[in-house]
């Protein structure tokens, strides 16, 4: 993999840390800015909405810049809003910075997906995607716990400063190492990409991505009460479990990278079946600490392995819409990231207990399997051949089985 690809992963690490770190900082922010804890929780919702709306919108706007220029604009904006967030004493201003930061994050990730896959051979999109998304998994392993520790030691503002400082070397590195590319302006180009997005295979892939990611974050969001109230472990185990989930996610992304290019169907079918079985087993055995430790690792690996493969499939499914395919893939996964916690919260509020998010995770993956199986049954014919002038062909296995 090109070294510049890992520099993009560094920026994604900083952005992933920012996206997830608020879970441990909300009480301090509420107290410092004199708002309620639920009001401070809107900071997380604002970021999610910004990611969902911003991914396709920023992908369109980025066409006016070279790829390196777009990456730098988004990343510098992301850095600056974290500086403003660290300095402000106004909750309203902080809320605006989260929305703007999410828009910049969404735009960066959409362009980074296109840039990363453009740096490698046409049949290596899965490996490129996994290398890029490795930044998100490392954020789960190290960035989020580190943000919580910083917040506890020096206040929540220190975590915002840390994200800004992490982004700075990525800005400098991208400016030097990422190829510039050329701007892709023109109304016809955007309309052409929009037409290319109407393919049923892409739409199904995006829906599956939203469901699988929804299952992941339905449980991940409420992992703390599962660990403490259901498994009976002390609160000191929570950071370790979150980090263990992150380790699993890193293993899953790294392992699925090559397989996503050459054997996507087995990864998706058998990986999703294993993921469903794992959520059911987790729900049944959540009171047993040893089972929780093992399944947190396993489910992290399966969730991100299947999820990253679906992102690669979305890029393969829309070779004529590279910008918008990356943008809509980002949006779809953030729809799941918002849907899952909402469903889990509804279940807990309804009095179904802290195991209920695990059952909802299983239901979401079961829905993905049902939809994917139905779509596969209806789409047995080989897709039309893509003209060689439009895009490089997919790997043979993916053309036959996607």
């Amino acid at each position: 993999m090109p070294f510049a690809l890992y520099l993009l992963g560094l920026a994604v690490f900083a952005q992933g840390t920012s996206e997830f770190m608020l879970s441990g900082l909300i009480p301090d922010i509420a107290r410092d800015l004199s708002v309620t804890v639920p009001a401070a929780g809107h900071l997380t919702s604002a970021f999610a909405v910004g990611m969902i709306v911003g991914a396709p919108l920023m992908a369109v706007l980025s066409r006016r810049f070279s790829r390196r220029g777009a990456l730098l604009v988004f990343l510098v904006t992301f850095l600056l809003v974290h500086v403003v967030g660290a300095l402000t004493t106004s909750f309203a201003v902080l809320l605006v910075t989260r929305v703007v930061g999410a828009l910049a994050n969404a735009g960066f990730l959409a362009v980074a997906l296109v840039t990363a896959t453009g740096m490698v051979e046409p049949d290596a999109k899965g490996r490129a995607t996994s290398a890029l998304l490795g930044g998100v998994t490392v954020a789960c392993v190290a960035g989020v716990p580190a943000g919580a520790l910083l917040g506890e030691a020096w206040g929540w503002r220190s975590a915002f400063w840390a994200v800004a400082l992490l982004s700075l070397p990525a800005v400098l590195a991208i400016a030097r190492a990422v190829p510039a590319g050329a701007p892709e302006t023109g109304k016809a180009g955007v309309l052409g990409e929009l037409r290319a997005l109407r393919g049923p295979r892409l739409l199904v892939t995006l829906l599956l991505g939203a469901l699988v990611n929804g299952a992941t974050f339905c449980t991940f969001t409420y992992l703390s009460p599962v660990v403490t109230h259901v498994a009976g472990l002390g609160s000191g185990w929570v950071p370790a479990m979150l980090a263990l989930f992150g380790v699993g996610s890193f293993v899953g992304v790294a392992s699925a990278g090559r397989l996503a290019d050459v054997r996507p169907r087995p990864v998706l079918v058998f990986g999703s079946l294993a993921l469903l079985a794992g959520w059911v087993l987790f729900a049944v055995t959540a009171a047993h600490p040893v089972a929780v430790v093992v399944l947190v690792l396993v489910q992290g690996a399966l969730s991100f392995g299947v999820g990253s493969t679906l992102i690669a499939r979305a890029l393969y499914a829309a070779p004529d819409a590279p910008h918008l395919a990356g943008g809509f893939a980002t949006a779809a996964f953030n729809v799941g990231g918002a849907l899952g916690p909402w469903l889990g919260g509804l279940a807990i509020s309804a009095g179904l207990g802290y195991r209920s998010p695990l059952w909802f995770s299983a239901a979401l993956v079961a829905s993905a399997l049902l939809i994917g199986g139905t779509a596969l049954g209806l789409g047995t014919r080989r897709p039309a051949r893509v003209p060689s002038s439009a895009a490089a062909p997919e790997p043979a296995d993916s053309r036959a089985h996607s």
Side-chain angles (χ1 to χ4, degrees):
M1 292 288 105
F3 180 66
L5 209 163
Y6 295 102
L7 299 177
L8 294 176
L10 172 63
V12 172
F13 165 68
Q15 293 168 353
T17 299
S18 174
E19 182 174 4
F20 302 130
M21 73 181 181
L22 286 191
S23 59
L25 303 176
I26 289 296
D28 289 343
I29 293 173
R31 185 168 50 252
D32 187 38
L33 299 183
S34 301
V35 297
T36 65
V37 169
H42 292 324
L43 295 170
T44 301
S45 302
F47 199 95
V49 171
M51 288 288 289
I52 294 168
V53 174
L57 178 62
M58 295 298 107
V60 171
L61 294 178
S62 70
R63 293 172 57 90
R64 298 182 177 276
F65 301 92
S66 68
R67 289 179 183 175
R68 182 171 63 196
L71 290 170
L72 290 174
V73 167
F74 289 134
L75 189 53
V76 169
T77 301
F78 182 82
L79 186 160
L80 292 177
V81 296
H82 279 76
V83 172
V84 174
L87 293 173
T88 187
T89 58
S90 166
F91 178 74
V93 172
L94 184 60
L95 187 65
V96 171
T97 67
R98 294 305 288 172
V99 174
V100 176
L103 292 172
N105 186 356
F108 183 91
L109 188 54
V111 177
L113 283 169
V114 179
T115 305
T117 55
M119 292 179 181
V120 298
E121 295 299 319
D123 61 351
K125 292 182 180 180
R127 279 178 286 168
T129 300
S130 68
L132 186 66
L133 295 183
V136 177
T137 64
V138 174
C140 293
V141 176
V144 175
L149 290 174
L150 281 173
E152 185 175 341
W154 292 301
W156 65 269
R157 297 175 190 276
S158 64
F160 279 70
W161 282 115
V163 169
L165 290 175
L166 274 174
S167 302
L168 185 57
V171 170
L172 299 175
I174 289 171
R176 290 179 58 88
V178 172
E184 299 180 55
T185 58
K187 182 178 179 181
V190 175
L191 293 178
E193 290 207 21
L194 287 171
R195 283 192 294 270
L197 291 176
R198 294 182 299 182
R201 185 169 56 146
L202 174 63
L203 298 178
V204 170
T205 302
L206 295 177
L207 177 57
L208 298 183
L211 290 171
V212 168
N213 206 43
T216 303
F217 284 93
C218 185
T219 292
F220 181 75
T221 303
Y222 302 103
L223 189 58
S224 176
V226 171
V227 169
T228 56
H229 290 78
V230 182
L233 295 170
S235 59
W237 278 86
V238 173
M241 290 297 100
L242 294 173
L244 189 62
F245 185 88
V247 170
S249 66
F250 180 81
V251 171
V253 166
S255 301
R258 287 182 178 274
L259 294 175
D261 292 317
V262 296
R263 292 290 183 269
R265 187 177 178 185
V267 172
L268 293 177
V269 173
F270 295 112
S272 297
L273 287 170
L275 188 58
L276 172 59
W279 286 130
V280 172
L281 184 61
F282 200 164
V284 171
T285 64
H288 302 280
V290 174
V292 169
V293 170
V294 172
L295 287 168
V296 163
L297 177 67
V298 170
Q299 292 304 94
L302 289 171
S303 296
F304 276 79
V306 173
S308 63
T309 301
L310 285 167
I311 289 181
R313 289 297 92 202
L315 297 176
Y316 276 125
D320 293 329
H323 291 80
L324 290 183
F328 276 94
T330 302
F333 273 73
N334 279 280
V335 167
L339 173 67
W342 178 70
L343 289 175
L346 281 181
I348 293 170
S349 299
L352 300 179
Y354 289 121
R355 289 181 195 241
S356 56
L358 294 161
W359 288 112
F360 270 76
S361 292
L364 288 168
V365 174
S367 300
L369 277 165
L370 180 62
I371 293 170
T374 302
L376 185 63
L378 294 175
T380 54
R381 290 185 303 173
R382 185 184 296 267
R385 204 171 180 85
V386 178
S388 59
S389 60
E394 299 183 32
D397 183 83
S398 68
R399 289 199 305 269
H401 300 301
S402 299

